[in-house]
Amino acid sequence: MMDWRTVNLANWESRVPVHTAADGYDLRAFDDPAHLSDVVRYDVPRLGDIAGLDVVHLQCHIGTDTVSLSRLGTRSTLGYDFSPSALRAARDLASGAGAAVDFVEGDLYDAVEVLGAGRFDLVYTGIGALCWLPSIRRWADVVAGLLRPGGRLFIREYHPMLWSLSDPRDDHLLVVEFPYFEADGVVFVEETSYAGSAPVTAPQFVCFNHGLGEIFTALTAAGMSVTYLQEHREVSDNALGEAMIPSPDHPGEFVLAEGPERLPLTYTLQAVKTPD
């Protein structure tokens, strides 16, 4: 199999200057101390009160959601990612926003060794994270290892059904083309990213899907109890081109143009680490 880590790291390194450009992420909005990213603002009703908690944001990229979490009154907030360029941008953002956020570089599967076991009350994983990981069981073990007993996982993620779909078709049919369950990664080549207009210099990447049942089973095997699951009609970026339109109800989100009820696009899952 292709060296997924090397390929994906090059891809994400090349996305950083695109995402931090003027037409990429809206970084200047963070000059307003009350500003939250669209992703975190969408999550807040389900995330609940996280004031006073020690929070780690896995696969944090350039830190927009991480800084937003810190503005919800956390005791400490830490962003973790494998991209050095993304973390430099994240630190610049946090510094400019006056946010007390730490950022640490490392591979996802090494997070417990790098950050320390049982250190956090909340593990937050933002949208578009799990598809970059080949093993959902190893991810679940990392989540459980980072949490204190009684600590919580919060994840909003692309629905595995969305990841299984082909590109938009002229007949508007939703057609399954790619694996729903965990399998060898699928190689894609995309010259642009989901934010910004400039081309990425390393357009190849490898993605992995994970079925909802596989995610449940992995978390349970790691000593977690799933306490919440909600499927959503919205997604935070336009994943299907002309088949999607901006959501009339949620700023920054998109829905299917031919009927939002046709397919879940994302889901929110929460799980609690079983006390010893």
Side-chain angles (χ1 to χ4, degrees):
M1 186 178 70
M2 179 180 293
D3 182 356
W4 62 271
R5 184 197 181 280
T6 299
V7 170
N8 287 348
L9 178 58
N11 178 257
W12 278 103
E13 285 282 281
S14 72
R15 291 182 193 236
V16 172
V18 179
H19 291 176
T20 56
D23 63 348
Y25 281 54
D26 186 7
L27 301 181
R28 289 190 175 182
F30 286 89
D31 293 343
D32 176 359
H35 177 76
L36 300 177
S37 67
D38 289 340
V39 170
V40 170
R41 186 169 62 248
Y42 184 96
D43 288 341
V44 162
R46 287 159 289 276
L47 186 60
D49 184 7
I50 62 172
L53 299 186
D54 294 317
V55 177
V56 60
H57 177 195
L58 299 180
Q59 298 165 267
C60 67
H61 191 39
I62 62 173
T64 53
D65 298 336
T66 325
V67 169
S68 298
L69 291 170
S70 75
R71 290 177 166 180
L72 299 178
T74 61
R75 178 166 61 182
S76 68
T77 308
L78 186 148
Y80 186 78
D81 200 272
F82 77 155
S83 166
S85 296
L87 291 175
R88 285 194 292 272
R91 294 184 184 107
D92 288 345
L93 175 66
S95 176
V101 180
D102 294 323
F103 291 97
V104 176
E105 179 184 338
D107 285 348
L108 184 284
Y109 292 133
D110 297 333
V112 177
E113 290 76 15
V114 173
L115 301 178
R119 180 177 167 186
F120 300 98
D121 303 302
L122 177 69
V123 170
Y124 177 93
T125 296
I127 194 165
L130 296 188
C131 61
W132 303 100
L133 304 173
S135 170
I136 202 65
R137 284 184 176 268
R138 290 181 64 193
W139 167 83
D141 287 340
V142 168
V143 169
L146 291 170
L147 286 170
R148 297 172 176 135
R152 175 171 56 121
L153 164 70
F154 182 99
I155 176 171
R156 181 185 174 221
E157 183 56 281
Y158 291 102
H159 201 286
M161 274 306 304
L162 176 59
W163 282 141
S164 73
L165 296 182
S166 70
D167 288 338
R169 295 162 50 103
D170 292 338
D171 59 11
H172 305 296
L173 291 177
L174 300 176
V175 176
V176 173
E177 179 179 359
F178 302 108
Y180 173 88
F181 295 109
E182 186 174 299
D184 291 340
V186 178
V187 179
F188 295 93
V189 177
E190 295 184 0
E191 302 293 337
T192 58
S193 189
Y194 57 87
S197 59
V200 296
T201 57
Q204 189 177 61
F205 56 92
V206 186
C207 279
F208 307 86
N209 209 357
H210 311 283
L212 280 181
E214 293 174 320
I215 297 167
F216 266 67
T217 301
L219 289 168
T220 300
M224 305 280 293
S225 296
V226 176
T227 58
Y228 183 92
L229 175 66
Q230 182 180 1
E231 294 174 308
H232 307 293
R233 295 168 173 81
E234 304 84 25
V235 65
S236 62
D237 66 282
N238 187 341
L240 294 175
E242 293 182 359
M244 307 194 82
I245 59 174
S247 168
D249 302 314
H250 300 281
E253 300 282 321
F254 293 83
V255 296
L256 289 171
E258 296 283 331
E261 70 282 353
R262 296 176 71 194
L263 188 79
L265 300 179
T266 57
Y267 65 91
T268 296
L269 182 149
Q270 300 190 55
V272 174
K273 182 176 181 179
T274 305
D276 297 332

